[in-house]
């Protein structure tokens, strides 16, 4: 189980450095602006995410043999919907959408920093300039990480609102229910719900099948994966809140009427 490869170090570390520098410059430029101005770089990322996904679907279907694995039922697929929702929705529930998206982006960023080889492979990096799907995989997840950095740097969700943690957890539960069921019906490994991409854990799953049988093992496996997803989002939410609290606030910045943080 290799967490990082040489390819990840060569791609991810320079990309992260560029993201941080860009975030600092954007903070200096937009830090004291109102939220709708600070949201513009995030909106650009949201549009790029959607365009990348449209291209992926077109490429996957172009040869007449669409790969079911490309149906957006993965954990990462949530960003196709939640980034645009956070970027462009200002109506009722916008604060909770920002909270859910921030927690999800925190989850992806933490995983990218700990175990990037689980998200995209060294082969995806090598083929970045040769195949669209490889480029999509690497660019997509890097953009999500940049989105999280901008959420923090530009204070795109500067305060907490009542019920946002519960909203994030119930949203994750809903995703787990849909993705796990579809993975079994289509026999496709959405969000690791059909089998495990981590070899030692997959060996355990397969060995349990010989003892418990396929159906009981798969039910147990789904429950464990779902608990891990919900728990990871829970931990990531508090990580986001901690980092946000540690970052300085621009003097004179307009963060709106929700300045006072509400306990969740």
């Amino acid at each position: 189980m290799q967490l990082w490869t040489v390819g990840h170090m060569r791609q991810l570390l320079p990309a992260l450095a560029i993201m941080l520098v860009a975030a600092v410059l954007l903070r200096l430029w937009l830090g004291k602006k109102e939220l709708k101005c600070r949201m513009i770089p995030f909106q650009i990322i949201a549009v790029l995410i959607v365009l990348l996904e449209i291209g992926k679907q077109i490429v996957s279907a172009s040869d007449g043999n669409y790969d079911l694995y490309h149906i957006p039922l993965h954990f990462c697929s949530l960003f196709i919907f939640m980034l645009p929702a956070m970027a462009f929705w200002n109506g009722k529930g916008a604060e909770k959408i920002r909270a859910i998206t921030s927690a999800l982006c925190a989850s992806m960023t933490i995983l990218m920093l700990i175990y990037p080889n689980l998200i995209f492979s060294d082969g995806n990096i090598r083929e970045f300039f040769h195949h669209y799907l490889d480029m999509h995989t690497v660019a997509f997840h890097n953009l999500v990480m940049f989105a999280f950095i901008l959420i923090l740097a530009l204070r795109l969700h500067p305060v907490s609102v009542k019920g946002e943690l519960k909203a994030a957890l119930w949203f994750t539960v809903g995703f787990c229910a849909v993705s796990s069921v579809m993975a079994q019906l289509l026999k496709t490994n959405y969000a690791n719900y059909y089998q495990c991409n981590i070899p030692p854990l997959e060996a355990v799953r397969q060995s349990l099948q010989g003892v418990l049988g396929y159906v009981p093992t798969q039910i147990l496996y789904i429950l464990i994966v779902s608990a891990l997803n919900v728990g990871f989002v829970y931990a990531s939410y508090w990580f986001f809140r901690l980092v946000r609290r540690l970052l300085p606030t621009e003097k004179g910045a307009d963060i709106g009427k929700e300045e006072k943080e509400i306990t969740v």
Side-chain angles (χ1 to χ4, degrees):
M1 188 175 74
Q2 189 174 12
L3 304 183
W4 283 70
T5 67
V6 173
H8 288 96
M9 293 181 183
R10 291 175 176 172
Q11 185 278 314
L12 199 52
L13 295 182
L16 181 59
I18 292 171
M19 292 175 199
L20 292 173
V21 171
V24 170
L25 294 176
L26 287 169
R27 183 181 175 91
L28 293 173
W29 181 28
L30 300 174
K32 295 182 180 180
K33 304 290 185 181
E34 59 185 6
L35 181 60
K36 67 179 181 180
C37 292
R38 301 200 308 272
M39 190 66 77
I40 292 174
F42 190 87
Q43 290 172 336
I44 293 172
I45 291 177
V47 170
L48 289 174
I49 286 285
V50 172
L51 291 177
L52 281 170
E53 184 63 22
I54 291 173
K56 172 185 172 181
Q57 298 301 322
I58 292 173
V59 169
S60 184
S62 61
D63 62 357
N65 187 26
Y66 182 78
D67 189 347
L68 293 178
Y69 189 75
H70 293 153
I71 296 176
L73 291 168
H74 304 274
F75 184 87
C76 302
S77 304
L78 294 174
F79 299 108
I80 304 167
F81 312 104
M82 297 309 297
L83 288 184
M86 176 174 173
F88 296 104
W89 177 250
N90 294 310
K92 184 178 180 181
E95 298 88 354
K96 289 184 179 179
I97 289 175
R98 291 201 298 268
I100 293 170
T101 307
S102 297
L104 295 177
C105 287
S107 300
M108 180 54 59
T109 300
I110 293 170
L111 197 55
M112 284 274 283
L113 296 177
I114 295 174
Y115 194 178
N117 199 32
L118 181 66
I119 301 172
F120 55 82
S121 68
D122 187 67
N124 294 135
I125 298 171
R126 289 196 306 270
E127 297 299 317
F128 182 88
F129 294 105
H130 301 98
H131 300 286
Y132 180 86
L133 295 180
D134 294 300
M135 183 277 292
H136 170 278
T137 299
V138 176
F140 185 99
H141 295 95
N142 276 264
L143 283 173
V144 171
M145 186 164 65
F146 189 33
F148 178 64
I149 292 172
L150 290 184
I151 289 172
L152 292 170
L154 298 178
R155 303 178 335 279
L156 301 183
H157 183 51
V159 296
S160 297
V161 297
K162 186 176 180 180
E164 67 176 29
L165 176 57
K166 185 182 294 185
L169 296 181
W170 276 115
F171 182 88
T172 307
V173 169
F175 159 76
C176 292
V178 173
S179 183
S180 61
V181 170
M182 294 304 297
Q184 311 314 307
L185 292 177
L186 298 179
K187 301 185 184 304
T188 305
N189 198 33
Y190 304 119
N192 273 309
Y193 270 116
Y194 194 63
Q195 60 189 36
C196 188
N197 286 338
I198 303 175
L201 299 182
E202 174 60 14
V204 172
R205 187 188 71 85
Q206 291 183 7
S207 65
L208 281 176
Q209 287 182 6
V211 178
L212 302 177
Y214 179 80
V215 173
T217 298
Q218 205 66 1
I219 291 174
L220 177 62
Y221 175 71
I222 289 170
L223 292 175
I224 292 173
V225 173
S226 297
L228 290 174
N229 276 324
V230 174
F232 193 53
V233 170
Y234 177 85
S236 299
Y237 168 82
W238 288 108
F239 169 79
F240 163 67
R241 285 194 61 173
L242 174 62
V243 176
R244 183 184 61 188
R245 186 179 292 274
L246 293 175
L247 289 176
T249 300
E250 293 285 346
K251 292 183 179 180
D254 173 19
I255 66 173
K257 63 182 180 181
E258 298 165 351
E259 173 71 34
K260 186 175 181 181
E261 190 157 316
I262 302 173
T263 303
V264 295

